[in-house]
Amino acid sequence: RTRMLSQFRTPGPDAKIGDELLTDVLNAISRPADPSCRRARHRLERAIACMDADPQHMVRIKDIAEEVGLSWRSLEYHFKAHYDVTPKSFLRYNRLHAVRMALLQGWPGTVTEAAHHYGFSHLGEFAGAYKAAFHELPSETFGRRNSFSNFR
């Protein structure tokens, strides 16, 4: 640490203030993460694993929070703090992504059936959310997949 400090020392009357500030920064960086922060991150990883496990299964945020040992409000707080989204938004995007992957990988039915399969009941809202997330309508994704299969 002393060697690192010597590289950044500035001569003159402000050297002591600069050294103290740099020492504080280096101490903060080298300090292990707060255990409560590690616990929160671990719980968030578990919550995400619950959401990823079965995207077509309708999961309630309250159930996920209980599974990881948090209140739904705490889960929301930690999601916002770490990912800048709510758990509900994260789950919705997860389900949208699952529909997209199904459409691209040869979904045997219609776009409507795929949307229903992954828990979207209001098709207009689904199409709007899909377009906002992926910059194309689900029918365009589906059509593009079908046009690729014609070249095989």
Side-chain angles (χ1 to χ4, degrees):
R1 218 179 265 165
T2 305
R3 190 175 55 184
M4 287 181 75
L5 274 174
S6 65
Q7 294 175 0
F8 297 102
R9 274 209 173 99
T10 54
D14 294 331
K16 184 177 180 186
I17 295 171
D19 287 350
E20 289 173 2
L21 179 62
L22 191 56
T23 300
D24 290 345
V25 169
L26 289 173
N27 285 335
I29 291 171
S30 64
R31 199 174 305 130
D34 178 13
S36 64
C37 184
R38 284 195 307 259
R39 276 192 305 274
R41 187 156 295 151
H42 177 70
R43 287 177 173 173
L44 286 174
E45 288 169 2
R46 284 179 40 215
I48 290 170
C50 289
M51 293 177 189
D52 286 343
D54 192 7
Q56 73 245 20
H57 182 256
M58 288 301 295
V59 180
R60 296 182 319 172
I61 300 303
K62 179 182 175 218
D63 296 336
I64 293 170
E66 287 176 9
E67 178 73 25
V68 300
L70 292 171
S71 68
W72 70 268
R73 187 58 116 179
S74 292
L75 183 65
E76 185 170 274
Y77 170 80
H78 288 299
F79 257 88
K80 289 286 283 180
H82 286 85
Y83 305 119
D84 200 31
V85 296
T86 64
K88 184 177 180 180
S89 295
F90 187 92
L91 183 58
R92 184 178 197 191
Y93 180 81
N94 214 25
R95 289 175 28 236
L96 285 168
H97 188 264
V99 172
R100 182 175 180 78
M101 290 297 96
L103 294 176
L104 287 170
Q105 295 173 356
W107 178 260
T110 65
V111 171
T112 299
E113 291 167 343
H116 286 302
H117 181 76
Y118 287 99
F120 293 99
S121 56
H122 192 289
L123 297 176
E125 287 179 11
F126 162 72
Y130 189 98
K131 182 163 179 122
F134 305 115
H135 308 290
E136 67 180 358
L137 292 170
S139 58
E140 294 170 329
T141 304
F142 189 68
R144 193 173 69 246
R145 182 277 324 250
N146 284 338
S147 68
F148 287 143
S149 64
N150 292 336
F151 292 110
R152 290 184 193 167

